[in-house]
């Protein structure tokens, strides 16, 4: 995953590439990105289904290998229609690896360390994103086509490493047959999990909104310098790299996961409130980023372990697929909703609304925890 995500740069620079290199309008670039997001939702759905049919191993190898080829092919598309089609197919294929990868984490983990395993994978993803983003800016200044080659190449390289270092023969025997009644169980009929995903969609949208709007807000509203804004954006990844594994190691198993989830979500809502009530300063901005980063570190690893606990070997892909689809949907909703709110009422209205959505999500998880405790009693 570290190798795979170290090449993540095409998506980050896609809109700039469409406008500057292909001379699309801003509206056309937005459509391409929206279609890319729609493809990622479909990829999460079909990736979950296919994982349950053929297993996580073959899908990971196939999706990364074909996704790598499609990245390179996309770099040679120059018309609006071909970019839209290419972006959708690429995203569908590339994002289908997420449910398979999540199922693999569940397979290789023990019940005692599953949340730490998730955190380790998150660490690899965050480091990869940081490396890919930094390298992408450098390569884009030389030649935009290098982005597609490097992104595609790291996908293919990750697939090759997976085949060499973790051969399929090591996991074939672990697949277990299940009785017919169990096969009929579906994540899409698990009402508790669907409610969990609904609250998660609210929180993911709020989290994405902060990550997307943060640079513009700090520049336009609080008038920070670009280097300091860069530091604030990097601080999230730095804290995750240094703190999260230690934090999860000390928390895992002490309390039910939902306790950490609703606590983390409430912390995120508090961060949005602070943006509106504290005077602009470097200290305030740093505190807000730290608070929202701890919100992420507390909630998201335990969100992953929640669906792992509810799933079985034969339907784990469906649970992972729904979780991945919620993230993909949030990627589409956040920029569209954020832009509309800012146009209507400015940044202040934006942060109040997303604070409210965070508190609704946290309250939902709190009552879900209470109902589960009551049911067990």
């Amino acid at each position: 995953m570290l190798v795979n995500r170290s090449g993540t740069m095409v998506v980050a620079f896609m809109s700039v590439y469409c406008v500057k290199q292909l001379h699309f309008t801003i509206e056309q670039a937005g459509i391409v990105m929206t279609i890319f997001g729609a493809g990622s939702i479909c990829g999460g759905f079909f990736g979950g289904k296919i994982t349950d049919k053929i297993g996580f191993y073959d899908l990971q190898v196939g999706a990364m290998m074909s996704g790598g080829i499609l990245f390179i092919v996309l770099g040679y598309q120059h018309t609006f229609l071909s970019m839209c089609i290419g972006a959708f197919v690429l995203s569908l294929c590339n994002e289908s690896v997420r449910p398979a990868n999540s199922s693999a984490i569940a397979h290789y983990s023990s019940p005692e360390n599953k949340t730490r395993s998730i955190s380790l994978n998150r660490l690899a993803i965050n480091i990869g994103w940081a490396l890919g983003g930094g390298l992408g800016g450098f390569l884009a200044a030389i030649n935009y086509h290098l982005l597609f080659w490097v992104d595609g190449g790291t996908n293919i390289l990750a697939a090759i490493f997976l085949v060499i270092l973790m051969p399929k023969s090591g996991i074939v025997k672990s697949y277990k047959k299940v009785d017919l009644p169990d096969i009929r169980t579906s994540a899409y009929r698990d009402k508790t999990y669907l409610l969990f995903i609904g609250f998660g969609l609210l929180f993911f949208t709020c989290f994405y909104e902060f990550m997307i709007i943060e640079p513009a807000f700090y520049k336009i509203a609080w008038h920070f310098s670009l280097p300091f804004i860069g530091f604030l954006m990097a601080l999230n990844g730095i804290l995750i790299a240094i703190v999260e594994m230690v934090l999860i190691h000390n928390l895992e198993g002490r309390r039910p996961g939902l306790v950490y989830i609703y606590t983390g979500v409430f912390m995120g809502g508090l961060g949005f409130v602070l943006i509106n009530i504290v005077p602009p300063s470097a200290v305030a901005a740093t505190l807000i980023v730290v608070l929202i980063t701890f919100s992420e570190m507390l909630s998201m690893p335990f969100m992953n372990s929640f669906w792992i606990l509810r799933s079985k070997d034969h339907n784990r892909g469906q649970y992972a697929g729904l979780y991945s689809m919620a993230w993909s949907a949030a990627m589409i909703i956040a920029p569209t909703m954020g832009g509309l709110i800012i146009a209507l009422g400015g940044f202040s209205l934006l942060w109040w609304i997303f604070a409210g959505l965070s508190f609704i999500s946290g309250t939902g998880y709190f009552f879900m925890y209470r109902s589960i405790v009551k049911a067990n009693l």
Side-chain angles (χ1 to χ4, degrees):
M1 186 54 66
L2 175 61
V3 172
N4 183 299
R5 295 304 175 187
S6 292
T8 303
M9 54 188 69
V10 168
V11 178
F13 291 90
M14 179 76 82
S15 58
V16 179
Y17 171 75
C18 287
V19 173
K20 296 294 185 181
Q21 191 75 14
L22 301 182
H23 307 294
F24 292 172
T25 65
I26 295 176
E27 290 77 13
Q28 286 177 318
I31 291 172
V32 171
M33 294 305 297
T34 300
I35 290 176
F36 193 94
S40 68
I41 295 177
C42 294
F45 175 78
F46 288 111
K49 291 285 188 180
I50 296 172
T51 296
D52 290 335
K53 293 290 185 182
I54 69 173
F56 58 78
Y57 190 91
D58 290 336
L59 180 55
Q60 284 187 107
V61 174
M64 286 190 292
M65 187 68 70
S66 57
I69 295 171
L70 287 169
F71 267 118
I72 297 171
V73 171
L74 186 65
Y76 291 95
Q77 307 309 307
H78 303 295
T79 68
F80 176 65
L81 179 60
S82 64
M83 280 297 295
C84 288
I85 295 173
F88 180 83
V89 175
L90 167 63
S91 182
L92 188 151
C93 180
N94 202 49
E95 292 301 309
S96 67
V97 76
R98 287 181 180 268
N101 180 253
S102 298
S103 298
I105 295 170
H107 170 81
Y108 288 113
S109 304
S110 66
E112 296 77 22
N113 68 7
K114 62 182 180 301
T115 311
R116 276 172 282 164
S117 299
I118 293 164
S119 292
L120 182 60
N121 197 56
R122 276 173 43 81
L123 177 62
I125 291 172
N126 277 282
I127 293 175
W129 268 96
L131 292 173
L135 180 60
F138 174 75
L139 294 177
I142 301 173
N143 189 325
Y144 275 107
H145 286 289
L146 293 174
L147 301 179
F148 294 92
W149 278 95
V150 172
D151 211 334
T154 51
N155 269 32
I156 295 171
L157 188 61
I160 293 172
F161 279 162
L162 178 59
V163 171
I164 295 175
L165 300 177
M166 303 177 70
K168 184 179 179 181
S169 59
I171 58 105
V172 169
K173 295 181 180 180
S174 69
Y175 293 119
K176 299 178 182 179
K177 293 183 179 180
V178 294
D179 296 332
L180 185 60
D182 290 332
I183 295 177
R184 293 173 180 168
T185 59
S186 169
Y188 300 94
R189 297 179 182 176
D190 185 341
K191 294 180 180 179
T192 299
Y193 186 61
L194 292 177
L195 192 62
F196 176 88
I197 289 296
F199 293 134
L201 177 59
L202 289 179
F203 178 59
F204 300 156
T205 302
C206 296
F207 178 76
Y208 263 129
E209 192 64 49
F210 179 75
M211 300 304 291
I212 293 169
I213 300 297
E214 175 191 11
F217 170 76
Y218 284 140
K219 181 62 178 177
I220 297 171
W222 283 17
H223 308 293
F224 290 157
S225 67
L226 291 177
F228 184 67
I229 293 173
F231 162 75
L232 292 174
M233 295 177 67
L235 182 59
N236 173 265
I238 294 171
L239 286 174
I240 289 173
I242 296 174
V243 176
E244 183 172 308
M245 286 293 295
V246 178
L247 180 68
I248 298 303
H249 176 74
N250 285 279
L251 293 179
E252 187 172 19
R254 294 193 174 189
R255 301 288 300 275
L258 277 170
V259 173
Y260 300 120
I261 292 172
Y262 71 69
T263 301
V265 174
F266 280 135
M267 288 177 66
L270 178 60
F272 292 130
V273 170
L274 288 179
I275 296 177
N276 269 344
I277 65 175
V278 298
S281 70
V283 174
T286 303
L287 174 63
I288 290 166
V289 171
V290 170
L291 191 62
I292 292 178
T293 301
F294 270 86
S295 166
E296 175 188 358
M297 291 191 292
L298 264 181
S299 59
M300 292 182 187
F302 290 100
M303 285 180 169
N304 276 281
S305 59
F306 180 87
W307 68 255
I308 291 175
L309 284 173
R310 295 192 71 84
S311 64
K312 304 295 183 183
D313 287 342
H314 63 277
N315 63 8
R316 188 158 288 144
Q318 293 181 30
Y319 279 84
L322 266 172
Y323 188 77
S324 177
M325 289 164 66
W327 272 106
S328 298
M331 289 178 64
I332 298 175
I333 296 170
T336 304
M337 185 176 177
L340 180 61
I341 294 172
I342 292 173
L344 292 174
F347 286 115
S348 180
L349 179 62
L350 176 80
W351 300 129
W352 283 122
I353 287 177
F354 280 96
L357 293 178
S358 296
F359 289 134
I360 290 172
S361 176
T363 303
Y365 284 130
F366 172 78
F367 282 109
M368 183 180 291
Y369 164 71
R370 295 298 301 170
S371 66
I372 291 175
V373 170
K374 185 176 180 180
N376 290 336
L377 292 175

